[in-house]
Amino acid sequence: MEVGSISSAPRTVEEIFKDYGGRRAAIVRALTTDVDSFYAQCDPEKENLCLYGHPNESWEVNLPAEEVPPELPEPALGINFARDGMNRKDWLSLVAVHSDSWLLSVAFYLGARLNRNERKRLFSMINDLPTVFEVVTDRRQSREKPGMDGGSKSKLSTKRSSDGQMKNNSKTVDEGYGEDDDEHSETLCGTCGGNYNADEFWIGCDICERWFHGKCVKITPAKAENIKQYKCPSCSSKKGRL
């Protein structure tokens, strides 16, 4: 198991986020691309096993650290025991949820010396990425729901018309959607994680297809009218780094 000296641990927001990104990518690969290998290594007959993601984007299934307390927070213990007693997808989803919790705990352990604004910025950067659970269960599709109605249900969201222009649908909740709100209750804001609310303005990213409160990405309905292709802050910054 790979552990680094605490004295050489990441210290800045950018360093911690890079560490988080490497560990997250490793776990995502273990639970998707390398899932058959991961599944085979989680033998229920073995002792308590953990899934580790490392900053260099490698992963491993191994026993927990022997030192107490460990140098870094430990992943969920004994993930292998439930493997054969659950549906495979459900088990992988459970491992994904525990892995998300572990990734956050490591990031904020490393960020113990950050100030309030730095912690807020770190969480915002992390929150711009889909969680491991969302990737494994493909729950990102639920965020597409506001744009899947073809105009039949306006929800103060911005959608693209057939002529390629962005159209702002501005019906209010008072005009009566009833069951529509329940249908889209799983749609989450890509920035704050808040649930869909019919009386708020939302806008969808044309690149990653996530949805956002207009207020979270500083886009008003009037501004959205003049946007031909909307890119969320995360997608915009990725393009800038290429």
Side-chain angles (χ1 to χ4, degrees), residues 3-224:
V3 292
S5 169
I6 196 67
S7 62
S8 62
R11 294 297 183 191
T12 68
V13 170
E14 288 72 21
E15 288 173 343
I16 295 170
F17 180 68
K18 182 178 179 181
D19 181 276
Y20 171 90
R23 295 178 190 274
R24 174 187 171 278
I27 291 176
V28 166
R29 187 166 69 251
L31 299 179
T32 54
T33 307
D34 299 345
V35 66
D36 290 334
S37 174
F38 168 69
Y39 190 86
Q41 291 184 42
C42 291
D43 185 349
E45 298 300 320
K46 294 183 179 180
E47 296 184 42
N48 293 306
L49 295 176
C50 302
L51 171 60
Y52 292 91
H54 300 304
N56 64 1
E57 300 188 11
S58 66
W59 62 270
E60 67 172 322
V61 173
N62 209 335
L63 295 171
E66 294 182 1
E67 63 267 26
V68 178
E71 192 163 350
L72 287 175
E74 284 290 297
L77 183 67
I79 58 172
N80 51 314
F81 294 145
R83 191 197 72 176
D84 292 347
M86 298 177 66
N87 172 279
R88 176 165 165 151
K89 283 188 176 181
D90 291 341
W91 177 71
L92 290 173
S93 297
L94 180 63
V95 175
V97 169
H98 281 292
S99 296
D100 280 318
S101 299
W102 175 67
L103 288 168
L104 284 173
S105 69
V106 171
F108 281 86
Y109 176 85
L110 296 174
R113 293 180 176 84
L114 298 179
N115 62 37
R116 179 180 178 181
N117 289 334
E118 289 172 332
R119 289 194 303 271
K120 184 176 180 180
R121 185 157 65 93
L122 174 61
F123 181 76
S124 179
M125 293 168 71
I126 290 173
N127 204 40
D128 276 341
L129 298 173
T131 64
V132 176
F133 176 72
E134 287 175 330
V135 174
V136 170
T137 61
D138 205 22
R139 286 176 65 88
R140 289 173 295 178
Q141 290 183 352
S142 68
R143 294 178 177 177
E144 299 173 13
K145 287 183 179 179
M148 294 174 67
D149 305 320
S152 62
K153 305 183 194 70
S154 300
K155 294 193 300 305
L156 290 179
S157 59
T158 298
K159 299 192 288 188
R160 187 176 302 284
S161 66
S162 58
D163 62 1
Q165 296 297 313
M166 301 298 286
K167 299 297 182 182
N168 176 43
N169 298 306
S170 56
K171 289 185 180 179
T172 66
V173 68
D174 293 330
E175 293 178 41
Y177 294 119
E179 296 178 359
D180 298 342
D181 293 344
D182 295 333
E183 179 184 349
H184 301 288
S185 61
E186 290 186 354
T187 302
L188 303 177
C189 174
T191 296
C192 71
N195 289 322
Y196 165 74
N197 188 330
D199 61 0
E200 294 179 308
F201 171 71
W202 285 62
I203 187 168
C205 176
D206 289 305
I207 306 302
C208 66
E209 300 183 339
R210 288 185 294 168
W211 286 81
F212 303 84
H213 289 112
K215 62 184 180 182
C216 289
V217 291
K218 297 181 173 60
I219 298 293
T220 64
K223 189 180 292 186

